[in-house]
mmCIF file of all heavy atoms in Angstrom:
data_model
loop_
_atom_site.group_PDB
_atom_site.id
_atom_site.type_symbol
_atom_site.label_atom_id
_atom_site.label_comp_id
_atom_site.label_asym_id
_atom_site.label_seq_id
_atom_site.Cartn_x
_atom_site.Cartn_y
_atom_site.Cartn_z
ATOM 1 N N SER A 1 19.470 -61.410 27.726
ATOM 2 C CA SER A 1 18.037 -61.210 28.030
ATOM 3 C C SER A 1 17.604 -62.274 29.041
ATOM 4 O O SER A 1 16.564 -62.017 29.726
ATOM 5 C CB SER A 1 17.284 -61.418 26.680
ATOM 6 O OG SER A 1 17.543 -62.601 26.118
ATOM 7 N N SER A 2 18.294 -63.409 29.204
ATOM 8 C CA SER A 2 18.033 -64.363 30.246
ATOM 9 C C SER A 2 19.176 -65.259 30.340
ATOM 10 O O SER A 2 20.124 -65.210 29.511
ATOM 11 C CB SER A 2 16.697 -65.101 29.990
ATOM 12 O OG SER A 2 16.810 -65.904 28.852
ATOM 13 N N PHE A 3 19.128 -66.136 31.328
ATOM 14 C CA PHE A 3 20.178 -67.153 31.493
ATOM 15 C C PHE A 3 19.634 -68.329 32.144
ATOM 16 O O PHE A 3 18.925 -68.250 33.208
ATOM 17 C CB PHE A 3 21.395 -66.621 32.248
ATOM 18 C CG PHE A 3 22.512 -67.605 32.343
ATOM 19 C CD1 PHE A 3 23.435 -67.603 31.211
ATOM 20 C CD2 PHE A 3 22.726 -68.411 33.374
ATOM 21 C CE1 PHE A 3 24.511 -68.604 31.255
ATOM 22 C CE2 PHE A 3 23.817 -69.401 33.375
ATOM 23 C CZ PHE A 3 24.630 -69.441 32.275
ATOM 24 N N ARG A 4 19.848 -69.541 31.522
ATOM 25 C CA ARG A 4 19.434 -70.828 32.128
ATOM 26 C C ARG A 4 20.668 -71.722 32.121
ATOM 27 O O ARG A 4 21.342 -71.858 31.198
ATOM 28 C CB ARG A 4 18.299 -71.483 31.325
ATOM 29 C CG ARG A 4 17.009 -70.702 31.411
ATOM 30 C CD ARG A 4 16.466 -70.875 32.906
ATOM 31 N NE ARG A 4 15.313 -70.097 33.176
ATOM 32 C CZ ARG A 4 15.170 -68.828 33.650
ATOM 33 N NH1 ARG A 4 16.327 -68.167 33.803
ATOM 34 N NH2 ARG A 4 14.109 -68.271 33.905
ATOM 35 N N TYR A 5 20.830 -72.374 33.281
ATOM 36 C CA TYR A 5 21.995 -73.259 33.421
ATOM 37 C C TYR A 5 21.966 -74.413 32.469
ATOM 38 O O TYR A 5 20.967 -75.188 32.391
ATOM 39 C CB TYR A 5 22.109 -73.736 34.922
ATOM 40 C CG TYR A 5 23.186 -74.690 35.124
ATOM 41 C CD1 TYR A 5 24.475 -74.357 35.154
ATOM 42 C CD2 TYR A 5 22.876 -76.139 35.135
ATOM 43 C CE1 TYR A 5 25.584 -75.280 35.271
ATOM 44 C CE2 TYR A 5 23.970 -77.113 35.287
ATOM 45 C CZ TYR A 5 25.296 -76.637 35.427
ATOM 46 O OH TYR A 5 26.264 -77.586 35.497
ATOM 47 N N SER A 6 23.023 -74.620 31.776
ATOM 48 C CA SER A 6 23.335 -75.882 30.994
ATOM 49 C C SER A 6 24.777 -75.917 30.765
ATOM 50 O O SER A 6 25.509 -74.991 31.042
ATOM 51 C CB SER A 6 22.567 -75.788 29.630
ATOM 52 O OG SER A 6 23.146 -74.807 28.783
ATOM 53 N N LEU A 7 25.272 -77.048 30.337
ATOM 54 C CA LEU A 7 26.676 -77.143 30.080
ATOM 55 C C LEU A 7 27.154 -76.218 29.021
ATOM 56 O O LEU A 7 28.239 -75.530 29.155
ATOM 57 C CB LEU A 7 27.036 -78.616 29.687
ATOM 58 C CG LEU A 7 26.757 -79.675 30.704
ATOM 59 C CD1 LEU A 7 27.225 -81.020 30.244
ATOM 60 C CD2 LEU A 7 27.363 -79.394 32.122
ATOM 61 N N GLU A 8 26.396 -76.047 27.979
ATOM 62 C CA GLU A 8 26.711 -75.119 26.914
ATOM 63 C C GLU A 8 26.646 -73.673 27.363
ATOM 64 O O GLU A 8 27.616 -72.863 27.150
ATOM 65 C CB GLU A 8 25.777 -75.301 25.772
ATOM 66 C CG GLU A 8 25.736 -76.654 25.082
ATOM 67 C CD GLU A 8 24.866 -77.661 25.808
ATOM 68 O OE1 GLU A 8 24.318 -77.264 26.820
ATOM 69 O OE2 GLU A 8 24.677 -78.747 25.162
ATOM 70 N N ASN A 9 25.624 -73.342 28.160
ATOM 71 C CA ASN A 9 25.515 -71.941 28.603
ATOM 72 C C ASN A 9 26.515 -71.651 29.699
ATOM 73 O O ASN A 9 26.973 -70.454 29.848
ATOM 74 C CB ASN A 9 24.137 -71.702 29.195
ATOM 75 C CG ASN A 9 23.123 -71.515 28.088
ATOM 76 O OD1 ASN A 9 23.475 -71.442 26.909
ATOM 77 N ND2 ASN A 9 21.856 -71.349 28.437
ATOM 78 N N THR A 10 26.962 -72.619 30.481
ATOM 79 C CA THR A 10 27.983 -72.359 31.468
ATOM 80 C C THR A 10 29.342 -72.055 30.723
ATOM 81 O O THR A 10 30.040 -71.100 31.178
ATOM 82 C CB THR A 10 28.240 -73.663 32.297
ATOM 83 O OG1 THR A 10 27.011 -73.872 33.094
ATOM 84 C CG2 THR A 10 29.366 -73.521 33.308
ATOM 85 N N ARG A 11 29.638 -72.761 29.676
ATOM 86 C CA ARG A 11 30.824 -72.419 28.928
ATOM 87 C C ARG A 11 30.685 -70.985 28.271
ATOM 88 O O ARG A 11 31.690 -70.211 28.222
ATOM 89 C CB ARG A 11 31.145 -73.408 27.898
ATOM 90 C CG ARG A 11 32.357 -73.096 26.993
ATOM 91 C CD ARG A 11 33.608 -72.774 27.863
ATOM 92 N NE ARG A 11 33.973 -73.893 28.656
ATOM 93 C CZ ARG A 11 34.920 -74.757 28.411
ATOM 94 N NH1 ARG A 11 35.592 -74.691 27.295
ATOM 95 N NH2 ARG A 11 35.225 -75.699 29.275
ATOM 96 N N LEU A 12 29.522 -70.629 27.780
ATOM 97 C CA LEU A 12 29.257 -69.343 27.317
ATOM 98 C C LEU A 12 29.535 -68.320 28.350
ATOM 99 O O LEU A 12 30.228 -67.252 28.104
ATOM 100 C CB LEU A 12 27.857 -69.208 26.795
ATOM 101 C CG LEU A 12 27.332 -67.729 26.506
ATOM 102 C CD1 LEU A 12 28.117 -67.190 25.325
ATOM 103 C CD2 LEU A 12 25.875 -67.671 26.168
ATOM 104 N N PHE A 13 29.088 -68.523 29.560
ATOM 105 C CA PHE A 13 29.295 -67.576 30.643
ATOM 106 C C PHE A 13 30.743 -67.435 30.957
ATOM 107 O O PHE A 13 31.216 -66.306 31.160
ATOM 108 C CB PHE A 13 28.524 -68.009 31.854
ATOM 109 C CG PHE A 13 28.111 -66.812 32.793
ATOM 110 C CD1 PHE A 13 26.990 -66.055 32.448
ATOM 111 C CD2 PHE A 13 28.904 -66.458 33.897
ATOM 112 C CE1 PHE A 13 26.633 -64.993 33.195
ATOM 113 C CE2 PHE A 13 28.534 -65.418 34.598
ATOM 114 C CZ PHE A 13 27.376 -64.644 34.275
ATOM 115 N N LEU A 14 31.519 -68.515 31.046
ATOM 116 C CA LEU A 14 32.921 -68.435 31.243
ATOM 117 C C LEU A 14 33.592 -67.577 30.101
ATOM 118 O O LEU A 14 34.446 -66.757 30.364
ATOM 119 C CB LEU A 14 33.537 -69.860 31.291
ATOM 120 C CG LEU A 14 35.081 -69.864 31.418
ATOM 121 C CD1 LEU A 14 35.579 -69.187 32.702
ATOM 122 C CD2 LEU A 14 35.560 -71.323 31.436
ATOM 123 N N ASN A 15 33.221 -67.880 28.874
ATOM 124 C CA ASN A 15 33.800 -67.065 27.811
ATOM 125 C C ASN A 15 33.474 -65.584 27.943
ATOM 126 O O ASN A 15 34.334 -64.762 27.603
ATOM 127 C CB ASN A 15 33.187 -67.647 26.413
ATOM 128 C CG ASN A 15 33.669 -69.052 26.067
ATOM 129 O OD1 ASN A 15 34.636 -69.510 26.672
ATOM 130 N ND2 ASN A 15 33.021 -69.572 25.018
ATOM 131 N N LEU A 16 32.257 -65.259 28.402
ATOM 132 C CA LEU A 16 31.979 -63.850 28.509
ATOM 133 C C LEU A 16 32.878 -63.230 29.681
ATOM 134 O O LEU A 16 33.280 -62.094 29.526
ATOM 135 C CB LEU A 16 30.498 -63.658 28.914
ATOM 136 C CG LEU A 16 29.549 -64.001 27.755
ATOM 137 C CD1 LEU A 16 28.103 -63.920 28.269
ATOM 138 C CD2 LEU A 16 29.716 -63.093 26.562
ATOM 139 N N LEU A 17 33.072 -63.997 30.774
ATOM 140 C CA LEU A 17 34.010 -63.541 31.768
ATOM 141 C C LEU A 17 35.463 -63.279 31.226
ATOM 142 O O LEU A 17 36.002 -62.312 31.516
ATOM 143 C CB LEU A 17 34.031 -64.484 32.932
ATOM 144 C CG LEU A 17 32.697 -64.805 33.714
ATOM 145 C CD1 LEU A 17 32.947 -65.788 34.747
ATOM 146 C CD2 LEU A 17 32.215 -63.462 34.312
ATOM 147 N N LEU A 18 35.854 -64.235 30.496
ATOM 148 C CA LEU A 18 37.232 -64.086 29.860
ATOM 149 C C LEU A 18 37.291 -62.959 28.924
ATOM 150 O O LEU A 18 38.271 -62.148 28.880
ATOM 151 C CB LEU A 18 37.585 -65.426 29.180
ATOM 152 C CG LEU A 18 37.786 -66.631 30.196
ATOM 153 C CD1 LEU A 18 37.842 -67.894 29.406
ATOM 154 C CD2 LEU A 18 39.124 -66.393 30.978
ATOM 155 N N TYR A 19 36.320 -62.890 28.060
ATOM 156 C CA TYR A 19 36.267 -61.806 27.047
ATOM 157 C C TYR A 19 36.178 -60.407 27.654
ATOM 158 O O TYR A 19 36.842 -59.445 27.322
ATOM 159 C CB TYR A 19 35.137 -61.975 26.038
ATOM 160 C CG TYR A 19 35.131 -60.962 24.905
ATOM 161 C CD1 TYR A 19 35.890 -61.239 23.825
ATOM 162 C CD2 TYR A 19 34.294 -59.855 24.957
ATOM 163 C CE1 TYR A 19 35.901 -60.322 22.736
ATOM 164 C CE2 TYR A 19 34.308 -58.974 23.888
ATOM 165 C CZ TYR A 19 35.139 -59.170 22.822
ATOM 166 O OH TYR A 19 35.138 -58.264 21.761
ATOM 167 N N GLY A 20 35.369 -60.343 28.717
ATOM 168 C CA GLY A 20 35.173 -59.117 29.406
ATOM 169 C C GLY A 20 36.451 -58.629 30.200
ATOM 170 O O GLY A 20 36.603 -57.416 30.413
ATOM 171 N N THR A 21 37.293 -59.601 30.454
ATOM 172 C CA THR A 21 38.494 -59.273 31.219
ATOM 173 C C THR A 21 39.742 -59.357 30.328
ATOM 174 O O THR A 21 40.865 -59.496 30.781
ATOM 175 C CB THR A 21 38.725 -60.102 32.465
ATOM 176 O OG1 THR A 21 38.576 -61.536 32.068
ATOM 177 C CG2 THR A 21 37.619 -59.844 33.534
ATOM 178 N N ASN A 22 39.489 -59.411 28.996
ATOM 179 C CA ASN A 22 40.635 -59.324 27.986
ATOM 180 C C ASN A 22 41.537 -60.492 28.075
ATOM 181 O O ASN A 22 42.811 -60.296 27.951
ATOM 182 C CB ASN A 22 41.335 -57.966 28.109
ATOM 183 C CG ASN A 22 40.460 -56.792 27.813
ATOM 184 O OD1 ASN A 22 39.655 -56.773 26.905
ATOM 185 N ND2 ASN A 22 40.478 -55.882 28.776
ATOM 186 N N GLN A 23 41.024 -61.712 28.375
ATOM 187 C CA GLN A 23 41.817 -62.937 28.440
ATOM 188 C C GLN A 23 41.507 -63.818 27.271
ATOM 189 O O GLN A 23 40.425 -63.695 26.647
ATOM 190 C CB GLN A 23 41.589 -63.651 29.780
ATOM 191 C CG GLN A 23 41.925 -62.845 30.983
ATOM 192 C CD GLN A 23 41.771 -63.602 32.273
ATOM 193 O OE1 GLN A 23 42.428 -64.712 32.460
ATOM 194 N NE2 GLN A 23 40.834 -63.222 33.133
ATOM 195 N N GLU A 24 42.400 -64.755 26.979
ATOM 196 C CA GLU A 24 42.196 -65.751 25.924
ATOM 197 C C GLU A 24 40.921 -66.598 26.310
ATOM 198 O O GLU A 24 40.665 -66.782 27.493
ATOM 199 C CB GLU A 24 43.352 -66.690 25.765
ATOM 200 C CG GLU A 24 44.659 -66.031 25.367
ATOM 201 C CD GLU A 24 45.744 -67.146 25.204
ATOM 202 O OE1 GLU A 24 45.449 -68.314 25.039
ATOM 203 O OE2 GLU A 24 46.842 -66.668 25.381
ATOM 204 N N LEU A 25 40.162 -67.007 25.296
ATOM 205 C CA LEU A 25 38.907 -67.752 25.539
ATOM 206 C C LEU A 25 39.202 -69.106 26.038
ATOM 207 O O LEU A 25 38.393 -69.717 26.688
ATOM 208 C CB LEU A 25 38.062 -67.708 24.280
ATOM 209 C CG LEU A 25 37.487 -66.368 23.870
ATOM 210 C CD1 LEU A 25 36.556 -66.517 22.673
ATOM 211 C CD2 LEU A 25 36.714 -65.725 25.044
ATOM 212 N N ILE A 26 40.359 -69.704 25.638
ATOM 213 C CA ILE A 26 40.705 -70.984 26.262
ATOM 214 C C ILE A 26 42.089 -70.857 26.783
ATOM 215 O O ILE A 26 43.053 -71.329 26.196
ATOM 216 C CB ILE A 26 40.612 -72.161 25.201
ATOM 217 C CG1 ILE A 26 39.257 -72.124 24.465
ATOM 218 C CG2 ILE A 26 40.893 -73.519 25.839
ATOM 219 C CD1 ILE A 26 39.146 -73.252 23.465
ATOM 220 N N PRO A 27 42.188 -70.250 27.940
ATOM 221 C CA PRO A 27 43.509 -70.077 28.556
ATOM 222 C C PRO A 27 44.066 -71.406 29.160
ATOM 223 O O PRO A 27 43.311 -72.462 29.100
ATOM 224 C CB PRO A 27 43.274 -69.071 29.660
ATOM 225 C CG PRO A 27 41.855 -69.316 30.074
ATOM 226 C CD PRO A 27 41.150 -69.723 28.777
ATOM 227 N N ASP A 28 45.249 -71.342 29.748
ATOM 228 C CA ASP A 28 45.751 -72.553 30.438
ATOM 229 C C ASP A 28 44.784 -72.959 31.489
ATOM 230 O O ASP A 28 44.114 -72.191 32.194
ATOM 231 C CB ASP A 28 47.113 -72.233 31.063
ATOM 232 C CG ASP A 28 48.216 -72.237 30.040
ATOM 233 O OD1 ASP A 28 47.976 -72.493 28.921
ATOM 234 O OD2 ASP A 28 49.356 -71.804 30.451
ATOM 235 N N TYR A 29 44.678 -74.296 31.628
ATOM 236 C CA TYR A 29 43.877 -74.964 32.738
ATOM 237 C C TYR A 29 42.373 -74.728 32.464
ATOM 238 O O TYR A 29 41.632 -74.686 33.468
ATOM 239 C CB TYR A 29 44.296 -74.442 34.141
ATOM 240 C CG TYR A 29 45.803 -74.821 34.284
ATOM 241 C CD1 TYR A 29 46.761 -73.799 34.394
ATOM 242 C CD2 TYR A 29 46.249 -76.143 34.386
ATOM 243 C CE1 TYR A 29 48.082 -74.084 34.534
ATOM 244 C CE2 TYR A 29 47.635 -76.379 34.531
ATOM 245 C CZ TYR A 29 48.500 -75.318 34.585
ATOM 246 O OH TYR A 29 49.873 -75.619 34.767
ATOM 247 N N VAL A 30 41.920 -74.644 31.275
ATOM 248 C CA VAL A 30 40.580 -74.632 30.889
ATOM 249 C C VAL A 30 40.336 -75.630 29.814
ATOM 250 O O VAL A 30 41.188 -75.586 28.764
ATOM 251 C CB VAL A 30 40.048 -73.220 30.439
ATOM 252 C CG1 VAL A 30 38.675 -73.313 29.805
ATOM 253 C CG2 VAL A 30 40.047 -72.270 31.601
ATOM 254 N N THR A 31 39.396 -76.522 29.871
ATOM 255 C CA THR A 31 39.256 -77.560 28.843
ATOM 256 C C THR A 31 38.727 -76.972 27.522
ATOM 257 O O THR A 31 37.958 -76.009 27.604
ATOM 258 C CB THR A 31 38.252 -78.590 29.323
ATOM 259 O OG1 THR A 31 36.989 -78.023 29.686
ATOM 260 C CG2 THR A 31 38.738 -79.258 30.599
ATOM 261 N N ALA A 32 39.188 -77.557 26.443
ATOM 262 C CA ALA A 32 38.598 -77.141 25.086
ATOM 263 C C ALA A 32 37.234 -77.554 24.866
ATOM 264 O O ALA A 32 36.491 -76.884 24.100
ATOM 265 C CB ALA A 32 39.548 -77.678 24.138
ATOM 266 N N ASN A 33 36.781 -78.683 25.478
ATOM 267 C CA ASN A 33 35.466 -79.203 25.318
ATOM 268 C C ASN A 33 34.491 -78.640 26.437
ATOM 269 O O ASN A 33 34.747 -78.942 27.585
ATOM 270 C CB ASN A 33 35.548 -80.744 25.440
ATOM 271 C CG ASN A 33 34.210 -81.417 25.068
ATOM 272 O OD1 ASN A 33 33.152 -80.818 25.284
ATOM 273 N ND2 ASN A 33 34.308 -82.615 24.623
ATOM 274 N N PRO A 34 33.483 -77.927 26.038
ATOM 275 C CA PRO A 34 32.554 -77.400 27.047
ATOM 276 C C PRO A 34 31.857 -78.436 27.913
ATOM 277 O O PRO A 34 31.247 -78.030 28.916
ATOM 278 C CB PRO A 34 31.593 -76.494 26.185
ATOM 279 C CG PRO A 34 31.619 -77.127 24.827
ATOM 280 C CD PRO A 34 33.049 -77.622 24.634
ATOM 281 N N TYR A 35 31.786 -79.590 27.495
ATOM 282 C CA TYR A 35 31.163 -80.667 28.265
ATOM 283 C C TYR A 35 32.036 -81.225 29.415
ATOM 284 O O TYR A 35 31.631 -82.077 30.175
ATOM 285 C CB TYR A 35 30.616 -81.765 27.439
ATOM 286 C CG TYR A 35 29.515 -81.324 26.401
ATOM 287 C CD1 TYR A 35 29.887 -81.012 25.090
ATOM 288 C CD2 TYR A 35 28.277 -81.090 26.834
ATOM 289 C CE1 TYR A 35 28.877 -80.486 24.250
ATOM 290 C CE2 TYR A 35 27.260 -80.645 25.993
ATOM 291 C CZ TYR A 35 27.580 -80.261 24.627
ATOM 292 O OH TYR A 35 26.644 -79.848 23.805
ATOM 293 N N THR A 36 33.265 -80.712 29.406
ATOM 294 C CA THR A 36 34.221 -81.111 30.417
ATOM 295 C C THR A 36 34.788 -79.883 31.163
ATOM 296 O O THR A 36 34.634 -78.779 30.659
ATOM 297 C CB THR A 36 35.389 -81.905 29.757
ATOM 298 O OG1 THR A 36 36.100 -80.953 28.888
ATOM 299 C CG2 THR A 36 34.982 -83.088 28.956
ATOM 300 N N GLU A 37 35.282 -80.090 32.347
ATOM 301 C CA GLU A 37 35.888 -79.055 33.093
ATOM 302 C C GLU A 37 37.092 -79.658 33.830
ATOM 303 O O GLU A 37 37.254 -80.864 33.855
ATOM 304 C CB GLU A 37 34.914 -78.455 34.156
ATOM 305 C CG GLU A 37 33.783 -77.685 33.582
ATOM 306 C CD GLU A 37 32.858 -77.015 34.563
ATOM 307 O OE1 GLU A 37 32.315 -77.825 35.387
ATOM 308 O OE2 GLU A 37 32.659 -75.781 34.544
ATOM 309 N N CYS A 38 37.989 -78.732 34.284
ATOM 310 C CA CYS A 38 39.132 -79.264 35.020
ATOM 311 C C CYS A 38 39.475 -78.334 36.147
ATOM 312 O O CYS A 38 39.050 -77.155 36.234
ATOM 313 C CB CYS A 38 40.323 -79.468 34.207
ATOM 314 S SG CYS A 38 41.016 -77.892 33.446
ATOM 315 N N ALA A 39 40.273 -78.810 37.082
ATOM 316 C CA ALA A 39 40.898 -78.006 38.166
ATOM 317 C C ALA A 39 42.320 -78.414 38.395
ATOM 318 O O ALA A 39 42.664 -79.650 38.370
ATOM 319 C CB ALA A 39 40.077 -78.264 39.432
ATOM 320 N N TYR A 40 43.153 -77.414 38.498
ATOM 321 C CA TYR A 40 44.580 -77.713 38.686
ATOM 322 C C TYR A 40 45.078 -77.317 40.126
ATOM 323 O O TYR A 40 44.715 -76.201 40.638
ATOM 324 C CB TYR A 40 45.330 -76.900 37.683
ATOM 325 C CG TYR A 40 46.926 -77.065 37.818
ATOM 326 C CD1 TYR A 40 47.498 -78.323 37.855
ATOM 327 C CD2 TYR A 40 47.731 -75.936 37.993
ATOM 328 C CE1 TYR A 40 48.852 -78.535 38.034
ATOM 329 C CE2 TYR A 40 49.128 -76.068 38.138
ATOM 330 C CZ TYR A 40 49.710 -77.377 38.191
ATOM 331 O OH TYR A 40 51.093 -77.495 38.337
ATOM 332 N N TYR A 41 45.822 -78.277 40.750
ATOM 333 C CA TYR A 41 46.280 -77.961 42.128
ATOM 334 C C TYR A 41 47.868 -77.832 42.007
ATOM 335 O O TYR A 41 48.550 -78.821 41.952
ATOM 336 C CB TYR A 41 45.888 -79.148 43.058
ATOM 337 C CG TYR A 41 44.377 -79.304 43.043
ATOM 338 C CD1 TYR A 41 43.734 -80.093 42.038
ATOM 339 C CD2 TYR A 41 43.584 -78.727 44.013
ATOM 340 C CE1 TYR A 41 42.240 -80.155 42.132
ATOM 341 C CE2 TYR A 41 42.231 -78.739 44.094
ATOM 342 C CZ TYR A 41 41.635 -79.531 43.094
ATOM 343 O OH TYR A 41 40.252 -79.580 43.154
ATOM 344 N N PRO A 42 48.350 -76.660 42.017
ATOM 345 C CA PRO A 42 49.764 -76.470 41.815
ATOM 346 C C PRO A 42 50.740 -77.134 42.797
ATOM 347 O O PRO A 42 51.749 -77.621 42.411
ATOM 348 C CB PRO A 42 49.921 -74.883 41.908
ATOM 349 C CG PRO A 42 48.548 -74.391 41.565
ATOM 350 C CD PRO A 42 47.578 -75.395 42.120
ATOM 351 N N GLU A 43 50.327 -77.145 44.111
ATOM 352 C CA GLU A 43 51.194 -77.798 45.088
ATOM 353 C C GLU A 43 51.425 -79.261 44.778
ATOM 354 O O GLU A 43 52.478 -79.776 45.009
ATOM 355 C CB GLU A 43 50.641 -77.554 46.447
ATOM 356 C CG GLU A 43 50.634 -76.110 46.958
ATOM 357 C CD GLU A 43 52.012 -75.552 47.029
ATOM 358 O OE1 GLU A 43 52.931 -76.296 47.473
ATOM 359 O OE2 GLU A 43 52.234 -74.417 46.644
ATOM 360 N N SER A 44 50.302 -79.948 44.348
ATOM 361 C CA SER A 44 50.401 -81.366 44.025
ATOM 362 C C SER A 44 50.800 -81.600 42.606
ATOM 363 O O SER A 44 51.051 -82.818 42.205
ATOM 364 C CB SER A 44 49.014 -82.020 44.341
ATOM 365 O OG SER A 44 48.590 -81.681 45.593
ATOM 366 N N LYS A 45 50.797 -80.640 41.819
ATOM 367 C CA LYS A 45 50.992 -80.750 40.315
ATOM 368 C C LYS A 45 50.022 -81.742 39.646
ATOM 369 O O LYS A 45 50.359 -82.529 38.873
ATOM 370 C CB LYS A 45 52.451 -81.099 39.953
ATOM 371 C CG LYS A 45 53.341 -79.940 40.189
ATOM 372 C CD LYS A 45 54.712 -80.331 39.693
ATOM 373 C CE LYS A 45 55.695 -79.094 39.661
ATOM 374 N NZ LYS A 45 55.793 -78.367 40.941
#
């Protein structure tokens, strides 16, 4: 019905993207804690 940016709502939005594309809700290279995020650079490991 609406969307407002917050750390909690950002994780909700990511979860909806994952659920909508039939992926695990916490796949590899996604933090378990919604107040944190991460990025992985394969070439540098």
Side-chain angles (χ1 to χ4, degrees):
S1 57
S2 66
F3 186 82
R4 289 295 177 267
Y5 173 77
S6 69
L7 300 182
E8 298 88 350
N9 283 358
T10 295
R11 179 51 60 96
L12 168 65
F13 207 81
L14 175 60
N15 288 350
L16 292 174
L17 296 178
L18 292 166
Y19 186 82
T21 51
N22 301 310
Q23 300 184 60
E24 295 179 26
L25 292 182
I26 307 181
D28 285 353
Y29 304 110
V30 170
T31 59
N33 184 334
Y35 296 99
T36 64
E37 291 180 304
C38 69
Y40 177 55
Y41 300 86
E43 292 298 320
S44 310
K45 289 187 169 54

